[in-house]
Amino acid sequence: ENSAKCEAMVPVDLDIMTAIEVIFKSLACINDSFLSDKNVSCTSKNHGVDLHEAELAFESIRKIENESLKGLIWESITNELLSSLSKNPPDIETLRIYLTLPLYHEFVNAKNYSKLHSPFCTMVLSLEEIPRKIITAWYSQTSIEYFERLIDIFKDVLKYFLQCEIGKVQSADKQLKFENNFFLALNMLSLLYHINHQERKEKVPYDVFHVNEITEYFDIRNDYVIWCQDTKPNSFYLCNYPFVFDANAKHLLLQTDQALQMHIAMQNAATQGFFSLFGPQPNVYFVLTVSRQNIVEDTIRELHKISSADLKKPLRVKFIGEEAEDTGGV
């Protein structure tokens, strides 16, 4: 509170600077702050953090105008605090940092990804099984507002890369190449999506995870075709993260899948025809033979006769007693 009152250009008292440096470099100090009740033990079901009080405290930090103080807090968090995190923490209280630190206002700025977002994601995703389960349980208990804030933080990193980084070097075919910071943000969102889908009782809407800008900067159709053909389990494709696709993107994917299945069905029919040159030739089209008088009954009867593979072929309609070629106008 006193720090927030410091004027922008006025030198800050050395004692205040020292105290700020000690607090924000120390994992123990941060984890022992904002407690709702110091007498209650920290457990996997109760983190003991008053997130509202933590939010108010970080809001005060956001209002600091003094550049020296802001810089000291930033350097303490990014250079010291984040590097002190462990994938196998010595005690459960150490995990409180994963609840409070995202309230730091610099998380709102996606440009900070290399110094802030990516190191944070790396530590969350590399936690051993037990501490990771605890974090998952704690995140599942948070309010809708807090959880949506987490999602928005890492969605903004994706948007920043699509618009400002990937867009600058993107090839004409709009192919998305592997980028580690983008990959980390996607995996963090994947964890949050799992928590929302599997763990939370009060779920956020699924469209909160959608990144609407994807189709503008990236050709998901090509990504889908290559993804379907690739047999390597660990290859990077955006189609491995379907929860980020909005309705428009999913519509494009359904169209692409339809075209791909139709192409495969036609190829299979042509291959069968090649290997049975002296027998009956398979049709590369699904020919629906119906009469105009009983069009519904005839259609249902014809559909009962065919296989699912035939349904993937292009459709041709033949009306009984009419010799006209179906070229799309019948």
Side-chain angles (χ1 to χ4, degrees), residues 232-251:
K232 298 175 184 177
N234 297 321
S235 300
F236 173 69
Y237 296 102
L238 203 56
C239 285
N240 288 325
Y241 306 89
F243 55 85
V244 299
F245 296 146
D246 62 8
N248 182 45
K250 289 174 181 175
H251 176 66

Side-chain angles (χ1 to χ4, degrees), residues 19 24 39 61 64 71 99 109 177 199 216 242 253 260 285 304:
F24 286 96
N39 297 318
I61 293 169
I64 293 175
L99 285 170
N109 188 350
K177 307 300 181 184
E199 307 288 339
E216 181 180 350
L253 289 178
L260 182 63
Y285 301 102
H304 274 296

Side-chain angles (χ1 to χ4, degrees), residues 102 104-112 116-117 149 153 156:
Y104 177 39
H105 69 279
E106 293 293 354
F107 268 99
V108 177
N109 188 350
K111 292 181 181 180
N112 295 327
L116 195 59
H117 302 77
R149 178 173 181 161
I153 282 171
D156 286 345

Side-chain angles (χ1 to χ4, degrees), residues 96-203:
R96 287 171 172 158
I97 190 69
Y98 295 107
L99 285 170
T100 55
L101 193 57
L103 296 172
Y104 177 39
H105 69 279
E106 293 293 354
F107 268 99
V108 177
N109 188 350
K111 292 181 181 180
N112 295 327
Y113 67 86
S114 63
K115 296 277 286 182
L116 195 59
H117 302 77
S118 291
F120 182 84
C121 291
T122 298
M123 294 315 303
V124 172
L125 298 170
S126 64
L127 285 169
E128 298 286 353
E129 182 181 1
I130 293 177
R132 190 168 177 176
K133 283 184 176 179
I134 294 171
I135 288 297
T136 296
W138 286 356
Y139 281 161
S140 71
Q141 298 162 12
T142 56
S143 67
I144 288 284
E145 293 75 19
Y146 177 93
F147 198 69
E148 285 191 2
R149 178 173 181 161
L150 272 184
I151 296 167
D152 287 339
I153 282 171
F154 300 105
K155 268 178 55 177
D156 286 345
V157 174
L158 299 188
K159 292 178 184 179
Y160 176 78
F161 266 89
L162 286 170
Q163 297 168 353
C164 303
E165 296 293 334
I166 295 173
K168 290 178 183 177
V169 297
Q170 195 69 275
S171 57
D173 56 2
K174 293 186 176 181
Q175 289 306 294
L176 183 64
K177 307 300 181 184
F178 176 82
E179 207 291 329
N180 190 56
N181 296 288
F182 190 84
F183 180 66
L184 286 169
L186 271 174
N187 283 332
M188 187 67 191
L189 280 173
S190 181
L191 173 64
L192 296 175
Y193 181 82
H194 166 79
I195 293 171
N196 188 56
H197 185 62
Q198 302 286 345
E199 307 288 339
R200 287 184 65 89
K201 292 181 179 178
E202 191 179 12
K203 301 182 188 301

